[in-house]
Amino acid sequence: MIRIALAFVLGVFCLQQQPVLPSLYWSILAFASLALALFSAHLPTSISKLLKPALVIGSSFLVGFFWAATLAHVRISDALPPNLQNSPITMIGVVASPIERMEHGERFQFDVEQVLTHDAQHNHVQTSLNLKVPQHISLSYYPTRGWTEAPPTISATDSKFGVGERWQITAKLKRPHGTQNPYGFDFEAWALAENIRATGTIRAKADHQMLQTFVWQPKYMVEYLRSLIKHRIAEVLKGKPYSGVIQALVMGDDAQIAVADWQLFLSTGTTHLMSISGLHITMLSGLAFALSSLLWRRYPRLVMCLPTRKAATLFGVVVAYIYVLLAGFAVPAQRTLYMLLVFALALWSGRHILISQVLAIALLAVVILDPWAVISAGFWLSFAAVAVLAYAFAGRIGISAWLKAAIQSQWAVSIGMLPLLLFMFHQASLISPIANAFAIPLISFVVTPLALLGSFLPIDAVLELSYFALEVCMYLLNWLNQLPSVVWQQHAPPVWTLLPAVLGMVWLLLPTGFPLRCLGLLGLLPMLLILPIRPALGDMKVAILDVGQGLSVVVQTKNHTLLYDAGPKYSVQSDAAKRVILPYLTGEGVTKLDGFVVSHHDTDHAGGMDSILSQMPVGWMSSSLPLEKLQATPAIRHQRCFAGQSWDWDGVHFAMLYPELNQYQQQATSDNNRSCVLKISSASGSLLLAGDIENIAEQQLVANQNDSPDTFSLQANVLVAPHHGSKTSSSHAFLAATAPDLTVFTTGYLNRFRHPRPEVEQRYQAVGSKTLRSDYDGAIVLTFNAGNKPAVLEKDLYEVTRWRKHYQRYWHDNYP
């Protein structure tokens, strides 16, 4: 059973790595292998023993692969046609999830029942154009954009929409699309796993009508109950900073947990406690088992009908199932529920079953029902943690003292999970055992039970007591986090280092002598010591990151790193630095920025600046920002950028070409036309970063080149297009002066500015420049390597990696 489950999961995992879905005609291989496996039972014993295991494993792998492929074909087919994107579509449907409050509005999931727009009919109402709208979508509603601070806490009467209501609405939809970067979050994969096949914005000025106050279907009833719980928590704990944690513990919705709190949980290794975990479900199920057992025994007639243990087990499983439903059916919750079900069935049937078999059955059940679970980090961490504990305590006789057992389990999980944590998150908490020693009992046996009780009963004091216990826990975690070096943070290790690291941890957990077990640490050495390849002397690596509508470029030489711009600010709690830039720098093994250039003050270029300065050591900073903004960062050595500044790092030359120093006194000069223009030259090519300069600044740069052609050159092999390809930039004279072989437009997908303008893109193509776009190509990674062979462009010794193409998966759209 264990081998079958592992082979099936491996098949599903391999399918999720495919750039293109295979034809289902190939599924005949799975049926053929199954037939061979069954036929092998009739072969002579000697041959059967040799062939049957291989055939069973092979057929399990193929069945898993094509099972996932079949479900993927079905889900991918429910897609929004590209020509319907950003077009107003009127539809009727039902609000299918609790309302999530955002900075300036609200968001919810919506089940489409009927499309009223003539040329966008749903599957069930086909037109001659054969167009459709997906059945399950995510919608945002912005009634006003007047908020400048954090959004108010949601209450039961704040939202325009409610769970289970049927509405007629008009919205603009688009296909799921997210930024694509090395070491970054894949939004499109998450949307596919959640069956969100389109996202959209409801038009605030359109005539929306509620058609029915509630649709009486089981799924909407469950979501309505979840919504009531969410509203109650928000009302009772209104204005309290950790109310989002209580909400996550009760109903598995962690959207309201602050980014700073997530960082605290990550640093202390307590992230697993701040959502619905297996421990919470098991505890609640155990409590139901104990109470029902106590009551059942008091009635002999009931005991005669059904033994107490069987009845109590049934009650425990039912309570666990209800809790998992209210928790949103997350992977860790599913795993625990299926394990409890297997144990319950074993008890009812009187069979003995091993923990490894229970875990294998739960693993198989999760992946059969949700083949996209394997692309979630929570899936691997959840099952790995249980597997580590089962392995560490396997074969032990007798019952250990509770303190000794607690210490042993903490040791096992901390050591056993280290390879996965370093591989997935590139960091591990060094204080995790200490933090979990008090956080696990406090959260699991005090905070969560009281929060559940207070959420279901109209007794505010119970919920407030739960919050008080949480405050105590948070205070202790914050105190621990102030200690020096609480987190081991490193580069992203190569994939192959995971195998020796896991084998080393398995050896370390063996019940042998301590000195012998320490040999297992040798397995970690490749993961810790194999560093990312840095550019050679005179070379550079440039990552033009995909941050949406904005700009951020990381330049690495042999021993130095420069960041040019910090991307946009997405919301009060989120910006490009937290989502994209810092994960990239961590994955590359960058622990310090030697230089940080912020071209100008626009929020799409400086939006992540504060996050960079607070979370990454910076040697110096250069910008054209207003003086009042610079005074807010006194700890950073800062200088204004101006033409004539230059420096050399590891054989790579950096030259600031613009603005002129006297332009800071010219009030008529716009922020865009004060952008820091930086040219970077190496032995194998050059790069020009032009910020958001417009035609006036371009004319001055061209004039400077004409005046001093020997000392001032705009020519560059690669150009990041000024102002994202707007019509106010990229003049003919500027293009003639720069003569780029490659031009990169950093734009957001279907952005409201319509960047890059088609006429501007055509202008670059007319002068022979190849064009790439971050919204279509993801991050653009340029490797300037004079010692390497010419790769993508014939004229230059540099390689171009388009991340969306390099990391292509079947759920990603292909763009021209």
Side-chain angles (χ1 to χ4, degrees):
M1 183 64 201
I2 297 173
R3 288 180 296 180
I4 291 173
L6 292 177
F8 184 92
V9 171
L10 181 60
V12 172
F13 178 78
C14 288
L15 184 278
Q16 307 302 351
Q17 311 308 308
Q18 301 304 306
V20 180
L21 280 177
S23 170
L24 292 182
Y25 290 115
W26 287 102
S27 61
I28 192 172
L29 292 175
F31 292 108
S33 62
L34 274 175
L36 286 173
L38 294 173
F39 176 72
S40 66
H42 302 286
L43 294 174
T45 305
S46 58
I47 300 177
S48 177
K49 284 184 178 180
L50 184 64
L51 290 180
K52 189 175 180 180
L55 288 172
V56 168
I57 292 174
S59 60
S60 299
F61 174 87
L62 290 173
V63 169
F65 186 89
F66 286 105
W67 169 254
T70 302
L71 294 186
H73 273 286
V74 172
R75 186 161 292 186
I76 287 292
S77 66
D78 188 27
L80 182 74
N83 62 333
L84 288 185
Q85 294 186 107
N86 268 359
S87 299
I89 298 174
T90 301
M91 65 194 90
I92 294 175
V94 181
V95 178
S97 71
I99 310 301
E100 178 187 343
R101 174 67 73 187
M102 299 187 299
E103 186 176 351
H104 298 301
E106 55 196 39
R107 179 168 53 206
F108 54 88
Q109 295 180 24
F110 192 72
D111 287 342
V112 179
E113 296 178 323
Q114 184 181 0
V115 176
L116 303 181
T117 302
H118 175 69
D119 60 346
Q121 297 297 317
H122 190 271
N123 290 348
H124 303 299
V125 193
Q126 298 273 341
T127 67
S128 59
L129 296 178
N130 196 32
L131 300 180
K132 61 181 181 180
V133 170
Q135 295 181 358
H136 192 67
I137 62 179
S138 175
L139 294 176
S140 300
Y141 175 67
Y142 301 97
T144 176
R145 295 185 180 271
W147 296 339
T148 56
E149 301 296 333
T153 305
I154 189 171
S155 70
T157 58
D158 279 336
S159 300
K160 178 181 179 67
F161 300 92
V163 179
E165 295 173 350
R166 178 175 281 127
W167 281 81
Q168 176 181 316
I169 59 173
T170 301
K172 289 186 175 182
L173 302 180
K174 63 180 181 179
R175 296 161 72 93
H177 185 96
T179 58
Q180 286 292 321
N181 296 279
Y183 322 113
F185 175 68
D186 189 344
F187 169 78
E188 292 159 59
W190 174 86
L192 181 71
E194 295 293 318
N195 196 23
I196 297 174
R197 303 304 300 130
T199 62
T201 303
I202 299 174
R203 302 183 69 187
K205 295 182 180 180
D207 183 21
H208 310 303
Q209 301 178 30
M210 183 194 294
L211 304 180
Q212 188 174 341
T213 56
F214 194 79
V215 177
W216 292 94
Q217 293 184 18
K219 62 178 180 179
Y220 301 134
M221 294 169 66
V222 171
E223 293 299 328
Y224 181 72
L225 182 57
R226 297 183 74 230
S227 180
L228 291 179
I229 295 171
K230 182 176 182 178
H231 291 160
R232 170 161 173 75
I233 293 172
E235 287 296 315
V236 175
L237 303 179
K238 189 174 184 178
K240 296 186 181 295
Y242 306 133
S243 60
V245 179
I246 296 292
Q247 177 179 298
L249 291 172
V250 173
M251 53 180 296
D253 183 357
D254 56 16
Q256 300 301 317
I257 297 181
V259 174
D261 292 337
W262 275 125
Q263 188 59 45
L264 173 66
F265 302 146
L266 198 60
S267 300
T268 55
T270 54
T271 307
H272 63 102
L273 291 174
M274 304 307 161
S275 59
I276 304 298
S277 70
L279 182 61
H280 301 155
I281 297 169
T282 305
M283 175 206 65
L284 194 64
S285 179
L287 183 62
F289 179 93
L291 290 176
S292 58
S293 178
L294 183 65
L295 294 174
W296 198 269
R297 284 195 186 96
R298 295 180 175 273
Y299 299 94
R301 190 172 295 178
L302 292 177
V303 175
M304 294 295 295
C305 295
L306 186 66
T308 301
R309 287 189 65 189
K310 290 187 177 182
T313 300
L314 180 61
F315 279 110
V317 169
V318 169
V319 168
Y321 178 72
I322 293 172
Y323 187 31
V324 169
L325 278 180
L326 295 177
F329 228 67
V331 170
Q334 289 183 54
R335 184 257 305 160
T336 306
L337 176 64
Y338 299 145
M339 291 182 70
L340 289 173
L341 281 171
V342 173
F343 276 122
L345 290 173
L347 188 145
W348 270 62
S349 62
R351 294 183 179 181
H352 176 71
I353 189 167
L354 299 175
I355 182 63
S356 57
Q357 295 173 320
V358 174
L359 193 60
I361 294 171
L363 181 70
L364 198 59
V366 169
V367 177
I368 288 174
L369 295 175
D370 181 11
W372 295 279
V374 298
I375 59 178
S376 164
F379 170 84
W380 298 103
L381 294 175
S382 174
F383 279 98
V386 177
V388 165
L389 288 172
Y391 173 76
F393 289 93
R396 302 204 175 184
I397 301 173
I399 301 176
S400 302
W402 69 269
L403 181 59
K404 182 180 179 181
I407 294 173
Q408 288 174 338
S409 62
Q410 277 299 309
W411 158 260
V413 171
S414 299
I415 292 297
M417 298 298 291
L418 189 58
L420 273 181
L421 292 172
L422 292 178
F423 182 75
M424 292 180 174
F425 304 111
H426 319 140
Q427 68 178 50
S429 174
L430 300 179
I431 58 172
S432 173
I434 301 173
N436 279 284
F438 64 81
I440 287 177
L442 198 55
I443 296 295
S444 300
F445 299 111
V446 180
V447 176
T448 302
L450 289 175
L452 286 168
L453 195 62
S455 299
F456 287 99
L457 298 178
I459 307 175
D460 294 355
V462 177
L463 204 53
E464 290 169 352
L465 183 60
S466 171
Y467 185 84
F468 174 75
L470 177 63
E471 280 187 314
V472 172
C473 184
M474 295 296 289
Y475 174 82
L476 295 174
L477 291 177
N478 276 295
W479 180 83
L480 271 180
N481 199 40
Q482 300 304 313
L483 298 175
S485 302
V486 298
V487 175
W488 173 270
Q489 196 167 33
Q490 65 159 66
H491 59 278
V495 176
W496 66 266
T497 62
L498 188 60
L499 179 59
V502 170
L503 293 177
M505 295 305 97
V506 169
W507 181 271
L508 193 60
L509 293 173
L510 286 173
T512 58
F514 184 75
L516 189 60
R517 279 191 291 169
C518 287
L519 292 175
L521 293 174
L522 296 175
L524 271 178
L525 291 182
M527 182 172 281
L528 301 177
L529 300 180
I530 302 297
L531 299 175
I533 299 174
R534 295 283 297 200
L537 193 66
D539 297 332
M540 62 178 175
K541 178 181 179 181
V542 178
I544 305 170
L545 298 176
D546 179 11
V547 293
Q549 184 69 19
L551 178 63
S552 184
V553 181
V554 177
V555 182
Q556 293 176 273
T557 64
K558 182 176 177 59
N559 299 303
H560 296 82
T561 303
L562 172 82
L563 176 64
Y564 181 93
D565 278 348
K569 192 176 187 67
Y570 303 124
S571 66
V572 170
Q573 292 193 21
S574 178
D575 54 48
K578 294 172 182 175
R579 285 192 188 179
V580 177
I581 304 169
L582 289 169
Y584 177 80
L585 293 173
T586 300
E588 287 291 302
V590 175
T591 57
K592 176 188 176 182
L593 289 175
D594 299 282
F596 181 22
V597 177
V598 179
S599 64
H600 63 299
H601 195 220
D602 282 4
T603 187
D604 59 332
H605 293 253
M609 183 184 71
D610 292 338
S611 296
I612 293 292
L613 295 178
S614 64
Q615 298 185 41
M616 176 70 67
V618 175
W620 54 261
M621 178 178 169
S622 180
S623 76
S624 63
L625 299 183
L627 290 176
E628 59 271 15
K629 183 65 177 177
L630 302 179
Q631 292 169 356
T633 58
I636 305 298
R637 181 163 65 91
H638 184 271
Q639 59 187 5
R640 274 184 157 169
C641 64
F642 58 89
Q645 295 171 323
S646 66
W647 67 96
D648 290 277
W649 282 344
D650 309 315
V652 179
H653 183 67
F654 296 76
M656 199 69 70
L657 305 183
Y658 190 83
E660 301 293 338
L661 190 57
N662 61 6
Q663 288 182 295
Y664 288 103
Q665 281 72 47
Q666 299 174 3
Q667 295 184 356
T669 303
S670 66
D671 281 346
N672 283 352
N673 284 323
R674 285 201 188 99
S675 294
C676 307
V677 178
L678 179 66
K679 182 178 179 181
I680 309 171
S681 305
S682 74
S684 52
S686 55
L687 168 74
L688 185 63
L689 302 171
D692 273 356
I693 61 170
E694 298 173 336
N695 289 334
I696 295 175
E698 292 177 356
Q699 292 172 13
Q700 184 171 343
L701 283 166
V702 172
N704 291 344
Q705 175 174 275
N706 294 335
D707 293 340
S708 307
D710 296 330
T711 58
F712 189 100
S713 174
L714 286 174
Q715 194 283 323
N717 300 102
V718 181
L719 170 67
V720 177
H723 204 183
H724 318 289
S726 76
K727 63 182 180 181
T728 60
S729 303
S730 302
S731 60
H732 290 283
F734 184 74
L735 266 63
T738 54
D741 302 318
L742 173 66
T743 302
V744 178
F745 297 99
T746 55
T747 55
Y749 184 64
L750 296 178
N751 63 87
R752 61 190 177 96
F753 308 103
R754 292 187 292 169
H755 292 161
R757 291 285 180 158
E759 62 270 24
V760 172
E761 197 168 4
Q762 292 168 7
R763 199 179 300 162
Y764 279 99
Q765 293 167 354
V767 299
S769 179
K770 180 180 179 179
T771 59
L772 297 177
R773 299 173 48 161
S774 60
D775 55 343
Y776 288 175
D777 299 295
I780 311 297
V781 181
L782 309 169
T783 305
F784 292 80
N785 188 348
N788 200 2
K789 62 180 181 179
V792 175
L793 301 179
E794 296 178 358
K795 298 179 181 179
D796 304 292
L797 299 177
Y798 61 88
E799 297 180 5
V800 180
T801 301
R802 298 183 292 165
W803 190 253
R804 185 173 280 273
K805 183 177 181 180
H806 178 76
Y807 182 70
Q808 180 71 40
R809 297 293 184 267
Y810 67 83
W811 54 79
H812 294 149
D813 282 337
N814 290 313
Y815 300 99

